[in-house]
Amino acid sequence: MSEGGVRIVGIPGLPEVKRGDALGPLLLEALRGIPLRVRSGDILVLAHKIVSKAEGRTVPLAAVAPSQLADSWAREWGRDPRVVELALAESRRIVKMDRGVLLAETRHGFVCANAGVDLSNSPQGTATLLPVDPDRSAAAIRDCLKEATGSDLAVIISDTFGRPWREGQVNVAIGVAGGMPLSDYRGRKDGFGRTMEATCIARADEIASAAELVMGKRRRVPAALVRGTSLEDGPGGGSSLVRPAEQDLFR
C-alpha cells in the first residue's frame, strides 16, 4: 500500500455491452471520464458481466430445453427450469441440490451457486454465463490497455460469490492478469519474529471485493480503477485461487 492509502474510482459511462464489442477501446473511452489517468501499478477491476456479454456468453432462455431432472427439480422448488438446465450444463460436478439451492463446481473449478449462471443485469429473457477462460480474457484486455496507454497495469475480472458459514456475498477474482493473485507469507517472520506457516492472502479477492464498494449492483458502474495497492510480481491467474482437490477438506 502507498503512503497515501488506497484510492478506488468507479468508471461510469460504458454503454450496454453486446456480443462482439471490443472492451479495450470502450474502457479507454470511459477512462477519459474519471479524474485519474492510468499509470503503471494501477489495477482495473471489471465485473464479469461485461466480459461475458462481449464474448457472447448471453443465452436466450427461450432457446433452452430443460431436461427431465432440471424440470422436476425446478418445479419442486419454484425455480426456472431453463436456468437450472443451464447451470447443470455449465457444471462439471454438482456439489449440492437442496432446498432450492443448486451449488456446483464449474469447468473452471469455481464452486458457486447455479454454476455462475445469472439473470441480474442481463437483458430481459436472457441469462449470462461466466467467461470460458477469465484469465485469458483478463490478459487480452490488459494487453490492449497496456499498448494504448504505455502503462503496466493489472486486470481483475470479478464475480459475486456466497460464503460458507457467513451471510451475504462478496466480490471475488475469477480472472487475473498482470500479477500474482496470492500474497504468500509462509516462511516469513511476523511482527514478533515467529515464522508464519499458513498465511496466504488472496490479494486479488481483497481488491475485487473492495472495488465493489464503488461498482455496486445497481449503479451501472461495471468497472473500477484501484490505486495504492498492488499484486506481487510474477505469473499467476484466477485459476491459482482454486484450491486443489487433494487439499479440499470439504469435498
Side-chain angles (χ1 to χ4, degrees):
M1 182 187 301
S2 69
E3 292 182 2
V6 178
R7 189 173 184 185
I8 307 171
V9 178
I11 305 171
L14 282 163
E16 178 62 32
V17 176
K18 305 180 297 298
R19 181 190 186 106
D21 283 347
L23 279 182
L26 291 178
L27 287 164
L28 287 167
E29 181 63 29
L31 282 164
R32 296 190 179 98
I34 67 171
L36 300 180
R37 300 281 73 84
V38 175
R39 68 187 189 195
S40 294
D42 287 345
I43 302 171
L44 184 68
V45 180
L46 307 175
H48 92 81
K49 286 288 177 63
I50 61 171
V51 179
S52 293
K53 289 176 181 179
E55 295 178 353
R57 296 284 284 165
T58 301
V59 179
L61 292 174
V64 179
S67 62
Q68 183 176 354
L69 171 61
D71 189 64
S72 61
W73 191 82
R75 289 179 184 278
E76 180 181 1
W77 296 106
R79 300 291 185 252
D80 187 328
R82 301 167 300 178
V83 175
V84 175
E85 180 61 31
L86 285 172
L88 294 175
E90 288 294 300
S91 304
R92 71 180 183 193
R93 179 172 67 97
I94 301 301
V95 177
K96 192 81 169 178
M97 291 179 71
D98 189 24
R99 289 169 284 180
V101 176
L102 197 168
L103 191 63
E105 180 181 352
T106 71
R107 298 188 188 96
H108 321 79
F110 308 139
V111 176
C112 54
N114 296 326
V117 177
D118 198 356
L119 303 181
S120 65
N121 289 313
S122 298
Q124 190 70 28
T126 67
T128 304
L129 316 180
L130 295 178
V132 172
D133 187 340
D135 285 334
R136 184 177 63 192
S137 302
I141 294 167
R142 176 176 181 263
D143 288 345
C144 176
L145 297 181
K146 185 177 179 181
E147 180 178 356
T149 66
S151 301
D152 189 9
L153 75 166
V155 172
I156 293 174
I157 296 174
S158 69
D159 192 15
T160 306
F161 279 22
R163 301 169 296 165
W165 308 293
R166 295 184 70 83
E167 290 292 340
Q169 296 84 36
V170 295
N171 274 20
V172 300
I174 63 170
V176 179
M180 298 177 66
L182 294 165
S183 291
D184 194 347
Y185 294 105
R186 291 171 293 186
R188 304 183 193 180
K189 301 293 185 181
D190 67 12
F192 293 92
R194 300 185 183 92
T195 300
M196 290 180 279
E197 297 180 354
T199 305
C200 188
I201 301 297
R203 185 70 67 209
D205 280 351
E206 290 184 325
I207 295 167
S209 183
E212 198 276 336
L213 295 171
V214 300
M215 292 163 67
K217 285 291 188 182
R218 301 174 59 189
R219 299 190 186 107
R220 298 184 69 84
V221 180
L225 192 70
V226 181
R227 178 171 294 171
T229 188
S230 62
L231 302 176
E232 294 184 6
D233 291 336
S239 56
S240 302
L241 294 161
V242 176
R243 178 164 290 166
E246 61 272 15
Q247 297 177 19
D248 188 346
L249 300 181
F250 305 98
R251 194 172 281 262

